[in-house]
Amino acid sequence: MGKRSVDEDPLARLLAPPPNETPEDRETRLRLEAEARQISDKIDEQLKAERAALKKNRPVKVLLLGQSESGKSTTLKNFQLTYCQDEWEAERASWCMVIQLNLVRGINFILDLLSEEMTGGPSPSAGDSDVSDDDDARFSPASGKVHLSSKHRLLKLRLAPLRTVQHDLELRIGIQAGADLSDTMISPPGSPTMGPAQRKQEFFVRSSTSWKHNRSASEAAGGRRSKESQMRETADILAGCADDMKAIWEDTTVREMLLRKGIRMETTPGFFLNDIHRIASREYQPSDNDVVRARLRTLGVQEHKIKFTKGPAAGSEWCIYDVGGSRTQRIAWYPYFDDCDAIIFLAPISCFDERLTEDRRINRLEDSFMLWKAVASSKLLSKTSIVLFLNKCDLLEQKLLNGVRIRDYVHSYGDRPNDIEHATKYFAQHFREILRKNSPEPRPFRVHMTSVVDTKATAMTLSVVEEGILRDHLQRADLL
């Protein structure tokens, strides 16, 4: 039965030696078969070498993940500043408009709050006007409102041209109103209520928009004003308003109003109100730190390719993806998990006392814990290197020095000292435990305490991260 099966197999009959094969014919056949095997083995070795080279030369795929305003875009800028200096220098001037817009929007935000103080609530009686003719403003404990002086009314009028400046800058950059977004530009951390001025939605550019090389709307409409003339006009208006902008930002009554509303503008992205005279100068040129600190939200996924020319990764290419962190955009993360080599996860630990702008019921630190758990437990990412940046340590230290107590918001913190050293150690341990309990496979816990707006310190951190990610990448490719 078995013999008949072999005889009836056409492949066996094809490979079988000829029935009347002579010894000379057999020797020739075996020699030709050996030569064919050698050729086949050489082809297999060549294919194996090509596959190994392809693995080695494939761009390293790195994702920047984290909630909105965690520092992802700022980290991407640091990569560009550290490893793409020529491109960075070529694009630096284009950031001037964004920095000017950040400054102007900050002032206009304050002016909106002043308008609320002047007109909000019950109509004041003739003897209790919200805007006094006195030179000095005053605070009324009974009503909880700040009564503004004629000085504030005058400043508000003198700064009115900034509305036009903001509109023109937005047109030139090509940004769109975020009507479909729930994030806000400047949301007051810890504020229980938000008025109309605080609920302004952030403007954004789409990731497909080359805003750095955009023609302005006025140029596209007919070229009546060149880009250079628009820039000069903006600089002239800002220079003319510089003293008034500084006066309203440093005004004690305005600071009291912000404090009462729970608004800490210094902690918001794109904050430049402490640099008014420098940025409002006609000769202003953005510094590296200015560009890193500038805020312009991008809707969609930003991809940036970096070709390393020095250091451990010299000769390799990285594709770094900055994906949106708001809750509505997180569904877009998953397609990028496939074939991902490394994730840099940014968790802003200064926001332990803040809530999500998308959902005021959720603490921002708790949201970072939940996101970290989702990433760490993903089976699709079980072989992916994960690096944790506990970010905004500078803002955390500032809050703690100002007397904000962690235990009032994070009850498990207990009676630990309320300082930066114990706080960072506590938060790091919490992230470590989440990784240990939820990772599909054991993997090292790599954490860095960062303030990514500090370009020099971040460059040192990135050099360490670069070496670790490259080593893991080569190990996965079986090349070490």
Side-chain angles (χ1 to χ4, degrees):
M1 184 75 175
K3 177 90 166 51
R4 190 163 56 249
S5 299
V6 172
D7 292 342
E8 292 175 357
D9 183 358
L11 182 60
R13 289 200 303 271
L14 180 65
L15 297 177
N20 299 319
E21 184 180 41
T22 65
E24 293 80 4
D25 291 339
R26 183 175 182 275
E27 182 179 349
T28 301
R29 177 176 60 81
L30 293 176
R31 177 173 53 81
L32 292 174
E33 289 178 353
E35 292 175 356
R37 277 195 300 272
Q38 288 179 351
I39 295 173
S40 178
D41 290 342
K42 286 182 179 180
I43 293 174
D44 289 342
E45 290 177 4
Q46 184 178 356
L47 290 174
K48 184 178 180 180
E50 288 177 354
R51 282 195 296 268
L54 187 62
K55 285 183 179 180
K56 182 177 181 180
N57 296 325
R58 179 180 67 81
V60 179
K61 184 177 178 181
V62 180
L63 300 186
L64 301 176
L65 299 183
Q67 63 185 212
S68 182
E69 298 186 1
S70 58
K72 299 185 299 298
S73 296
T74 306
T75 301
L76 178 57
K77 290 180 193 174
N78 274 283
F79 268 107
Q80 294 172 275
L81 172 61
T82 305
Y83 300 108
C84 305
Q85 192 66 42
D86 292 342
E87 181 180 342
W88 176 268
E89 292 294 339
E91 295 181 349
R92 184 205 302 270
S94 61
W95 282 95
C96 182
M97 295 184 296
V98 178
I99 295 164
Q100 290 172 333
L101 178 60
N102 288 165
L103 174 64
V104 170
R105 294 197 76 198
I107 293 295
N108 284 337
F109 175 76
I110 293 175
L111 295 178
D112 287 340
L113 292 177
L114 288 176
S115 295
E116 286 186 5
E117 291 293 319
M118 293 177 181
T119 61
S123 299
S125 63
D128 187 26
S129 173
D130 284 325
V131 182
S132 170
D133 289 332
D134 298 336
D135 289 336
D136 297 326
R138 62 188 186 279
F139 176 72
S140 171
S143 64
K145 292 181 68 64
V146 173
H147 294 269
L148 303 169
S149 69
S150 57
K151 178 186 71 173
H152 298 95
R153 180 168 52 188
L154 180 60
L155 283 173
K156 191 170 180 292
L157 289 173
R158 289 167 62 93
L159 291 172
L162 295 184
R163 300 289 180 186
T164 302
V165 171
Q166 177 176 329
H167 179 69
D168 286 347
L169 286 171
E170 289 166 353
L171 285 179
R172 284 159 55 191
I173 296 171
I175 60 183
Q176 306 171 44
D180 59 336
L181 301 174
S182 53
D183 285 346
T184 57
M185 180 193 77
I186 304 176
S187 57
S191 176
T193 59
M194 292 196 295
Q198 294 145 272
R199 286 196 297 266
K200 283 193 170 183
Q201 290 177 315
E202 185 173 13
F203 286 79
F204 66 91
V205 294
R206 297 192 179 276
S207 56
S208 58
T209 302
S210 300
W211 66 268
K212 296 172 187 174
H213 311 289
N214 267 357
R215 296 175 65 205
S216 68
S218 60
E219 287 182 285
R224 288 185 297 273
R225 292 189 298 160
S226 68
K227 182 177 180 180
E228 290 74 17
S229 66
Q230 289 177 319
M231 293 174 64
R232 285 196 299 270
E233 181 179 329
T234 298
D236 287 341
I237 296 174
L238 291 179
C241 293
D243 289 339
D244 290 334
M245 287 192 287
K246 186 175 176 61
I248 203 163
W249 166 239
E250 294 182 350
D251 183 81
T252 55
T253 303
V254 169
R255 293 296 183 93
E256 190 175 68
M257 175 186 67
L258 294 173
L259 181 63
R260 176 172 54 86
K261 291 179 177 291
I263 300 173
R264 296 187 291 271
M265 295 184 68
E266 297 90 338
T267 67
T268 59
F271 173 77
F272 288 101
L273 294 181
N274 287 338
D275 304 284
I276 290 175
H277 274 299
R278 183 172 62 86
I279 294 173
S281 167
R282 290 179 176 86
E283 292 77 31
Y284 170 67
Q285 294 294 328
S287 67
D288 289 340
N289 282 332
D290 290 343
V291 176
V292 168
R293 289 165 52 204
R295 170 67 170 172
L296 179 63
R297 179 172 181 173
T298 302
L299 190 64
V301 178
Q302 295 185 75
E303 176 185 351
H304 195 87
K305 293 184 178 180
I306 294 178
K307 185 76 172 181
F308 287 85
T309 59
K310 58 183 179 179
S316 66
E317 184 180 39
W318 287 22
C319 284
I320 303 178
Y321 297 88
D322 172 12
V323 295
S326 65
R327 302 183 83 192
T328 56
Q329 297 185 68
R330 292 173 189 174
I331 191 67
W333 292 6
Y334 295 99
Y336 291 87
F337 285 177
D338 186 36
D339 205 24
C340 175
D341 294 294
I343 287 173
I344 299 177
F345 188 98
L346 288 105
I349 54 176
S350 65
C351 59
F352 64 87
D353 62 337
E354 302 172 21
R355 298 190 176 275
L356 291 177
T357 49
E358 304 100 312
D359 188 341
R360 307 298 291 180
R361 299 169 299 176
I362 299 178
N363 180 278
R364 286 190 63 189
L365 182 61
E366 286 296 328
D367 182 63
S368 284
F369 287 149
M370 290 187 289
L371 278 178
W372 174 253
K373 180 179 179 180
V375 170
S377 62
S378 172
K379 293 183 179 179
L380 195 60
L381 298 172
S382 60
K383 303 292 185 182
T384 301
S385 303
I386 302 181
V387 181
L388 175 64
F389 281 12
L390 294 185
N391 196 32
K392 302 192 178 183
C393 289
D394 55 333
L395 298 181
L396 172 64
E397 185 172 20
Q398 181 182 331
K399 278 187 179 181
L400 300 182
L401 291 175
N402 288 338
V404 182
R405 297 190 306 179
I406 297 176
R407 68 180 184 184
D408 292 341
Y409 302 89
V410 184
H411 301 308
S412 59
Y413 191 76
D415 294 327
R416 293 174 177 83
N418 200 61
D419 57 40
I420 185 70
E421 179 182 355
H422 289 85
T424 52
K425 182 178 179 181
Y426 171 79
F427 292 138
Q429 183 60 32
H430 199 85
F431 280 100
R432 180 195 297 271
E433 283 301 303
I434 292 175
L435 179 68
R436 184 184 65 82
K437 293 179 180 179
N438 295 279
S439 180
E441 297 184 13
R443 54 181 152 192
F445 177 67
R446 295 170 177 166
V447 61
H448 299 272
M449 310 302 167
T450 60
S451 300
V452 292
V453 293
D454 183 342
T455 54
K456 291 183 179 179
T458 304
M460 296 176 62
T461 300
L462 292 183
S463 66
V464 176
V465 171
E466 167 201 348
E467 185 174 359
I469 289 176
L470 181 66
R471 182 173 60 250
D472 291 346
H473 173 65
L474 295 177
Q475 286 176 341
R476 279 191 295 273
D478 295 326
L479 294 177
L480 285 183

